[in-house]
Structures are given as C-alpha cells and as structure tokens.
C-alpha cells in the first residue's frame, strides 16, 4: 500500500489516470477471456461480459483508490509495481472465491481471474510509467532541464527514509545528485539492491575506500538513529574530508514540516553524541495551561526560547519582562506572528526598579515566574562586578521577596554550573542568587515555591563559544581557544528550556535541579568540528590559536559541590541537589551591603567583599588591590550550612 509524502496529482490528471486505468482493466479482463477460451469466446460469456466487467472493475478500482494508487503519477517507478499487485490481489481473490462459490454465470471463470491479475498489473504499471515519462518531458519543455552531470552520492541508511531519498534523487534531477551506493549497519541488507543501488556494507566501509565508488557527497539518512552513532559516522566522514549532509529530523518528516529531499548541513548538535532529553509534555502542560506566566529576560537566548515553548502549552497570558527595548520588540513580534493565540504582554522593565516591579505584579498577578534575567558574560562581569552584584544577586532577592508578597505560586531561577566553587564574578553572583531562592523558601515554605535549575553551556546562545567560533571561521581565522585542555558541558537551547519547564512540575520548593548532560566536551575539539563542518581543514585552512585562560575562567566546570546530596527524581535525566538554607535575614543584610558598595569600590575590592559573602569563591584579581574598605560595617562572613539529609525521589 502506497503511503508516500508526494502530493496528489491535479484533478484533470487524476481523472485521466482513472479513465486510463478503467480502460486497462477492461482490456486485461477481455484478454483473459480470450486466453481462457482460446480466442473463441462463447456467446453466453460474451453477453454477460459487460455486467461482469462493471462489478469486477468497480471492485478493483475501489481497492486501487484505497491504496492511493491514483496519487502516484510522475512519482511512480518500476519498483512501485508491487504496490499495484497488492492493491489488485485482494479484489481478484474475492472474485475468485465468488466464482468458486456461485459458478461463472455472473462471475468470470477462475482461470480468467488469475490471468486478469497478471495482465492488469502489467497494464497499470505501464500506464503509470508513461505518465511519469510525460511529466518529465513536460518539465523539460518548460525549461527545467536537469544538469548535464549529477554528483555521485552515497546514502548512509537503507531504511524507509534512505529508500525514499534515493527515489527523490532519481525523480528530481534538479537536486544534482545520483545515488550510487547505500551503507547500513544491518548486515542482512549487505549485498542487496534498492532501486538498483547496491548496499555496500556498514558506514565504516567508507574508511576503506567505499569499494572504489568515487563518491563526491554523502547523505546521512538516519533521522531516528542514536546521537552517539551519528557522532561516530560524522567522525568517519570528517576524516575522509568528503562533503556530507543529512535529512530533516524524524519530527519534521512525520509532521510534514519538511520533505526527505530537503537536505541540510550536519549540525554541531548532531555530533555531540548525546541523547536528546525527552520531557513529560503532559505534566508541563498541566502546570502552565490557563496560567499567567511571566518570563524575565524574555529577549535573551534562554528567555526567548522559554517564551516560545511556554506559548505552545496554552497559558492564559504570557508576560515578557525585558530591559532591552530592541530584544523585547524582536521576541514580541516573533510570538505575535506565530501560530500561538496566547495573549502576549511585552513589558519594558528593570529588576532594580522596585516600583515598576511592584506595579507589574499587582496588575497582572503572575502565577509562575521563570527568572532568566541576568548578566552572564564572564570577562565583562570580571571588569564590572558591581553590575553583576546588582542584577544577578540583588535583582533576584528583590524579585523573590515581591513574588512572596504577591502570592506568586512558583518562581524558577535559571542558574549555572559556574555557581559551583566559582572562580569568577558571574558564578559567585549566581551562587548568591541560588542562596536567595533557597533562603526565601525556607523562611516561608508554605508560600511561593522557589526552585533553581543549574546547567552548563548552551549551544548557540548569544555570546557563547559556538557563534563566536563561527564568526572567526567565517573571517578566515584564527579560531581562538583559551587552553588545549579546557572542557565544558553542552546542551541545546531547547533541552535547557525543557529542563526548566520540567523542573517546575517536579519541585516542591527549595531544590536545585540538574540535568544529566553526559560527558564534557573539549573546546578545542569543538573548534575542529566547526571548522570541518564548513569543509575546511583545521590547521591548514583555518588556524587554531591558544590565548590562555581568561580572568575568572576554569579548565573544567563542576555540577555540584563535593558532598552535596544528589537525589533522583521521576525524570531519569534530572537530579535534585539538596542542601540547607542560610537564613534570609542574613542574606538580605549581606546582599544589601554589596549593593550599596557596588558603585563605590574598585573591581578587585568588590571581589574581596563578594568572597566574604560566598566563601567558596576564589577570585582572580586584576592587580594587587588593597583590602576593601566598606563605607559602613560589613555583614559577617556567610558560612555554608550543614548539608541536609537526602530526600526521597519525587
């Protein structure tokens, strides 16, 4: 049964095909009668033939229609004749049984039924091949002549998608590709042929020369393969230095958002070798549907993706809280022009503007707040620590206190793995923000549920390593890497945001959630992969330059403190970190003092004060700074509270 993605033919062409099919069925049935009676059909059989033809051909046409055989036209090829056979087998089998049961007075003889099946399959296949030929000639007359030479392509994946791709190459010369070999992990397929294209062996056969096929391009047609396997194949292809691309994702193919022939370059996330995290959409929908949801930092990379995904879960209203007018306009326009019908409210506001924040909470009564607003660029915050203190720490404290006052049900903080044993201002202020939400929840556990989500680097976020490397590669290099051994954890933006939304359904309050992000990736390997994805050779076409670790930068990131209690949750890829909370009264005193000194002290002096607030912080000073001299007595050093007992999985 044919169930391809090809569009149905126009009405006139479909009508012509139906008429042609009926003519073929009539001729095939008449030929079957002639063969059965040795070209001397008895008079009674000849008289009953029109009635027999009407009901037999009607039954056959019905089955052809149900099998969508009238939709093929120019996409039909010789291999599709099996579909015609199976579409005719059922009605002819039924006719055969009726003839056996009731005789041949009003049904064809059984030998006629058998011969008719063979003639009909041959005739219907012929008429479809003729239609395809006619369509090709029509395209050529209209000026869509195929290129004189098509590139020799190998297809990795001999499944349904790979088979459809080979057919697409055959039917669409404008793609400029010709399938000459399949490669597949399934040993039972090796040595066989699909559409007259041989299945050579496993993808590893390419490393041995690919059976001397002189391939010019490779297409990875494995949309549902495990990322680890895709990464292994990508490594083979990069070593061969051959151009390669991939088909759309299985989601895009099954939803009709893309067709098999719409190839795209292999993306870096395809080569990370880690499974995409699957999230519980029903639980997320239950927590967001018909709720008023506010996202701070809505114009940023994470905030914008939060807004996109939240809008898909049907909140009653979505509040876009953003300080930058330009970024707010961009995300508001994107959502307004999308498919979602959710009311969007763009709000220009600053976390430090308490009256404005109070006015927003009083007017719109958000039930869930996702707090993504933050200063996050490590080198910039090293030079201007006061701004990180004000926005990341004091802003979070102020938002949390007002959320409690206005009975917000949940507040989820976007944190970072840089908050663990921080060596930079950004990480230290993010750690203070985590301490704030834990302290606020401990002070009023029956009120607002406060949670934090801690994750690593996000592929493609603004200012992150991937777009920076891409710009350097586009300009011809060099690609600047700080250290040959520096590693980072990576996830996609959609994964990071999915984790945040899932955490809102898992938390009871006071927790820090963490995604299982697999193994860390060496940044220098990331740089090499990006260079190779552009078709260039690292070190030869684009140079990699090591610049040394920047102020505040670590060789590797940690995901939790040593000894911190890590417990599982209902989600296999999400863990929960548990520790005791510092009294919010102590935290408030420390953060307010830091806020008051933020614009008065030099950068290194502020770092010394910040270290007193976060004892785990190991600052990197720009110079031999004098000890900080606060304008008023500074709060005592905050000590990490004893670790809480492990909680049961939720």
């Amino acid at each position: 049964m044919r169930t391809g993605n090809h569009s149905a033919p126009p009405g006139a062409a479909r009508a012509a095909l139906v008429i042609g099919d009926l003519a073929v069925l009539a001729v095939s049935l008449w030929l079957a009668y002639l063969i059965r009676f040795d070209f001397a059909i008895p008079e009674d059989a000849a008289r009953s033939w029109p009635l027999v033809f009407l009901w037999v051909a009607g039954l056959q046409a019905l089955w052809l229609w149900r099998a969508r055989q009238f939709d093929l036209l120019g996409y039909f090829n010789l291999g599709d004749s099996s579909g015609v056979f199976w579409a005719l087998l059922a009605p002819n089998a039924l006719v055969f049984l009726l003839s056996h049961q009731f005789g041949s007075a009003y049904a064809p003889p059984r030998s006629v039924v058998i011969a008719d099946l063979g003639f009909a399959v041959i005739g219907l296949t012929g008429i479809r091949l003729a239609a395809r030929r006619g369509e090709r000639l029509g395209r050529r007359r209209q000026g869509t002549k195929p290129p004189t030479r098509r590139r020799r392509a190998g297809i990795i994946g001999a499944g349904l998608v790979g088979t459809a791709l080979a057919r697409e190459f055959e039917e669409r010369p404008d793609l400029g590709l010709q399938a000459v070999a399949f490669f597949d992990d399934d040993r039972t397929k090796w040595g066989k042929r699909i559409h007259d294209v041989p299945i050579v062996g496993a993808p590893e056969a390419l490393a041995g020369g690919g059976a001397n096929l002189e391939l010019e391009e490779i297409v990875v047609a494995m949309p549902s393969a495990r990322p680890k396997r895709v990464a292994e194949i990508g490594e083979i292809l990069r070593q061969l230095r051959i151009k390669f691309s991939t088909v759309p994702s299985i989601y895009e193919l099954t939803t009709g958002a893309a067709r098999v022939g719409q190839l795209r370059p292999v993306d870096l996330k395809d080569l990370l070798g880690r499974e995409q995290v699957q999230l519980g959409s029903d639980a997320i929908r239950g927590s967001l549907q018909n709720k008023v949801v506010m996202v701070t930092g809505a114009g940023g990379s994470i905030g914008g993706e939060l807004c996109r995904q939240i809008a898909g879960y049907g909140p009653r209203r979505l509040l876009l809280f953003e300080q930058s007018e330009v970024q707010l306009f961009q995300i508001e326009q994107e959502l307004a022009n999308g498919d979602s019908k959710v009311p969007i409210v763009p709000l220009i506001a600053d976390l430090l503007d308490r009256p404005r924040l109070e006015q927003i909470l009083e007017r719109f009564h958000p039930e869930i707040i996702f707090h993504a607003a933050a200063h996050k660029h490590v080198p910039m915050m090293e030079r201007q620590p006061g701004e990180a203190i004000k926005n990341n720490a004091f802003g979070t404290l102020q938002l949390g206190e007002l959320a409690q006052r206005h009975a917000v049900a949940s507040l989820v903080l976007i944190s970072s793995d840089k908050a663990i044993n921080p060596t930079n201002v950004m990480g230290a202020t993010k750690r203070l923000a985590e301490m704030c939400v834990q302290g606020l929840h401990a002070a009023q556990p029956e009120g607002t549920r406060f949670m934090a989500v801690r994750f690593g680097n996000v592929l493609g976020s603004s200012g992150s390593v991937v777009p920076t490397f891409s710009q350097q590669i586009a300009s011809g290099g060099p690609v600047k890497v700080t250290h040959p051994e520096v590693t980072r954890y990576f996830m996609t933006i959609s994964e990071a945001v999915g984790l945040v939304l899932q955490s809102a359904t898992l938390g009871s309050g006071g927790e820090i959630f963490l995604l299982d992000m697999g193994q860390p990736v060496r940044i220098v390997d990331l740089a090499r992969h990006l260079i190779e994805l552009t078709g260039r050779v690292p070190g030869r076409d684009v140079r990699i330059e090591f610049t040394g670790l920047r102020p505040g930068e670590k060789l590797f990131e940690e995901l939790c403190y040593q000894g911190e209690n890590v417990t599982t949750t209902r989600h296999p890829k999400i863990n929960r970190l548990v520790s005791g909370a510092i009294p919010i009264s102590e935290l408030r005193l420390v953060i307010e003092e830091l806020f008051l000194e933020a614009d008065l002290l030099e950068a290194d002096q502020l770092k010394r004060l910040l270290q007193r607030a976060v004892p785990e912080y190991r600052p990197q000073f720009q110079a031999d700074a004098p000890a900080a001299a606060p304008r008023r007595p500074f709060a005592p050093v905050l000590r990490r509270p004893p670790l809480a007992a492990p909680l049961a999985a939720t």
Side-chain angles (χ1 to χ4, degrees):
M1 182 173 180
R2 175 79 174 192
T3 58
N5 291 330
H6 304 302
S7 302
R14 184 196 294 268
L17 183 62
V18 172
I19 293 171
D21 282 353
L22 290 175
V24 167
L25 293 175
V27 171
S28 65
L29 185 60
W30 184 252
L31 283 175
Y33 268 91
L34 287 174
I35 297 297
R36 165 64 177 81
F37 295 108
D38 197 20
F39 292 89
I41 301 175
E43 187 176 344
D44 56 341
R47 281 199 304 268
S48 64
W49 185 88
L51 181 60
V52 171
F53 166 72
L54 286 176
W55 75 268
V56 171
L59 198 61
Q60 291 172 325
L62 176 63
W63 248 267
L64 288 169
W65 173 76
R66 286 176 59 84
R68 300 183 64 182
Q69 289 297 317
F70 298 131
D71 292 348
L72 300 182
L73 280 182
Y75 296 106
F76 189 89
N77 62 32
L78 196 57
D80 288 318
S81 59
S82 61
V84 176
F85 171 79
W86 291 109
L88 290 175
L89 181 63
N92 278 49
L94 180 59
V95 174
F96 186 92
L97 291 175
L98 292 175
S99 177
H100 177 74
Q101 185 73 23
F102 301 108
S104 58
Y106 296 102
R110 284 169 288 178
S111 57
V112 169
V113 177
I114 295 173
D116 174 61
L117 177 62
F119 290 140
V121 170
I122 294 171
L124 294 181
T125 298
I127 199 171
R128 280 157 174 73
L129 290 174
R132 185 188 72 170
R133 180 65 177 171
E135 188 171 294
R136 282 183 172 180
L137 291 174
R139 285 200 298 263
R140 290 183 181 181
R141 283 196 296 268
Q142 293 171 7
T144 57
K145 205 167 186 176
T148 56
R149 180 183 176 278
R150 292 194 281 182
R151 300 187 302 280
R152 296 172 62 83
I155 299 176
I156 297 180
L160 293 175
V161 174
T163 301
L165 187 63
R167 179 182 300 160
E168 192 92 355
F169 289 169
E170 180 185 349
E171 303 298 336
R172 291 188 54 194
D174 57 293
L175 293 175
L177 293 171
Q178 176 188 5
V180 297
F182 281 104
F183 300 87
D184 198 279
D185 290 327
D186 187 351
R187 290 176 174 270
T188 63
K189 296 180 180 179
W190 296 357
K192 298 180 181 178
R193 304 178 80 87
I194 298 176
H195 296 316
D196 204 31
V197 177
I199 303 175
V200 175
E204 281 73 11
L206 286 162
N212 298 318
L213 294 167
E214 299 181 353
L215 299 175
E216 300 171 85
E217 189 166 337
I218 296 292
V219 181
V220 181
M222 304 166 64
S224 58
R226 297 176 68 87
K228 182 178 180 181
R229 182 55 177 154
V230 175
E232 292 171 351
I233 293 171
E235 184 62 31
I236 294 171
L237 298 177
R238 285 197 304 274
Q239 291 176 1
L240 292 174
R241 297 176 183 175
I242 187 172
K243 181 181 179 182
F244 61 103
S245 54
T246 187
V247 298
S249 68
I250 195 68
Y251 173 81
E252 293 172 311
L253 293 174
T254 54
T255 58
R259 288 180 56 175
V260 168
Q262 293 175 330
L263 306 181
R264 65 171 175 82
V266 174
D267 195 84
L268 184 62
K269 66 184 179 183
D270 298 325
L271 306 178
L272 287 181
R274 181 170 53 77
E275 296 287 342
Q276 296 286 301
V277 176
Q278 302 299 315
L279 298 161
S281 58
D282 291 340
I284 296 173
R285 185 177 302 280
S287 68
L288 298 177
Q289 197 168 36
N290 296 321
K291 303 287 180 60
V292 178
V293 183
M294 184 168 87
V295 178
T296 70
S301 303
I302 297 294
E305 181 64 19
L306 272 167
C307 294
R308 295 182 196 98
Q309 292 196 24
I310 290 170
Y313 288 105
R316 185 165 74 253
R317 181 177 291 169
L318 181 55
L319 311 178
L320 313 183
F321 186 106
E322 173 58 57
Q323 184 180 22
S324 168
E325 176 190 10
V326 174
Q327 291 181 313
L328 180 62
F329 176 78
Q330 290 173 344
I331 186 63
E332 189 264 339
Q333 287 297 300
E334 179 184 337
L335 294 173
N337 295 330
D339 296 331
S340 175
K341 304 301 181 184
V342 174
I344 304 296
V345 182
L347 300 165
I348 298 178
D350 188 335
L351 282 174
L352 306 182
D353 187 346
R354 188 182 184 93
R356 173 63 168 155
L357 195 51
E358 287 248 37
Q359 185 257 345
I360 289 172
L361 297 178
E362 179 66 34
R363 178 179 177 185
F364 295 104
H365 302 289
E367 297 163 83
I368 304 174
I369 297 176
F370 292 93
H371 179 33
H375 289 321
K376 66 175 186 177
H377 296 290
V378 171
M380 194 172 294
M381 292 304 103
E382 287 298 294
R383 295 190 294 269
Q384 303 168 87
E387 296 307 305
I389 289 169
K390 290 188 289 185
N391 199 36
N392 296 359
F394 185 80
T396 299
L397 174 64
Q398 181 161 267
L399 176 65
E401 289 181 331
L402 291 178
Q404 281 184 327
R405 178 181 299 180
H406 291 273
V408 174
S410 300
L411 187 148
V412 182
L413 166 71
I414 310 302
S415 188
S416 166
D417 56 3
K418 292 178 176 60
I420 305 303
N421 295 319
T423 58
N424 52 65
V425 170
M426 183 272 194
T429 54
K430 276 294 188 180
R431 178 58 187 153
L432 269 180
E434 289 182 353
M435 294 157 65
C436 284
V437 296
Q438 289 182 307
L440 286 166
H441 181 78
Q444 296 184 30
E446 72 286 349
T448 303
R449 290 186 306 138
F450 289 93
M451 295 157 276
V453 182
R454 188 186 289 167
F455 48 76
N457 293 267
V458 176
L459 285 174
S461 63
S462 62
S464 65
V465 66
V466 173
T468 301
F469 283 174
S470 298
Q471 291 172 1
Q472 292 170 352
I473 293 168
S475 62
V479 175
K480 297 182 179 181
V481 179
T482 57
H483 192 281
E485 298 302 323
V486 68
T487 63
R488 291 293 182 267
Y489 292 95
F490 283 96
M491 63 170 59
T492 64
I493 291 180
S494 60
E495 279 183 311
V497 167
L499 169 64
V500 173
L501 299 180
Q502 188 79 72
S503 300
T505 72
L506 296 173
S508 57
E511 306 99 336
I512 299 174
F513 290 98
L514 169 69
L515 175 66
D516 177 4
M517 293 184 290
Q519 297 300 313
V521 177
R522 285 206 316 165
I523 299 300
V524 67
D525 292 338
L526 199 68
R528 291 193 183 105
H529 291 346
L530 281 170
I531 294 170
E532 288 164 347
L533 286 175
T534 66
R536 285 174 273 190
V537 179
R540 188 189 73 186
D541 302 325
V542 179
R543 185 167 55 90
I544 296 177
E545 178 183 304
F546 296 105
T547 60
L549 292 175
R550 298 175 298 181
E553 188 174 28
K554 293 192 285 187
L555 272 179
F556 60 91
E557 298 292 358
E558 302 160 276
L559 297 177
C560 60
Y561 286 101
Q562 186 175 5
E564 196 167 26
N565 292 320
V566 179
T567 64
T568 59
T569 67
R570 293 191 303 271
H571 195 283
K573 292 291 185 179
I574 300 177
N575 294 323
R576 182 177 60 179
L577 310 181
V578 183
S579 62
I582 295 174
I584 193 62
S585 57
E586 294 183 26
L587 272 171
R588 184 182 300 110
L589 180 60
V590 168
I591 292 175
E592 286 178 351
E593 291 289 347
L594 280 167
F595 178 78
L596 292 172
E597 300 290 352
D599 296 323
L600 303 175
L601 298 180
E602 296 297 324
D604 286 351
Q605 293 176 321
L606 275 175
K607 291 178 186 179
R608 292 187 186 279
L609 290 185
L610 187 58
Q611 187 179 24
R612 296 179 63 187
V614 184
E616 312 94 298
Y617 172 40
R618 295 293 177 263
Q620 298 186 21
F621 299 113
Q622 298 175 9
D624 293 331
R631 298 171 67 89
R632 53 188 55 77
F634 195 72
V637 173
L638 292 177
R639 300 183 184 275
R640 289 190 67 227
L643 296 172
L647 299 179
T650 57

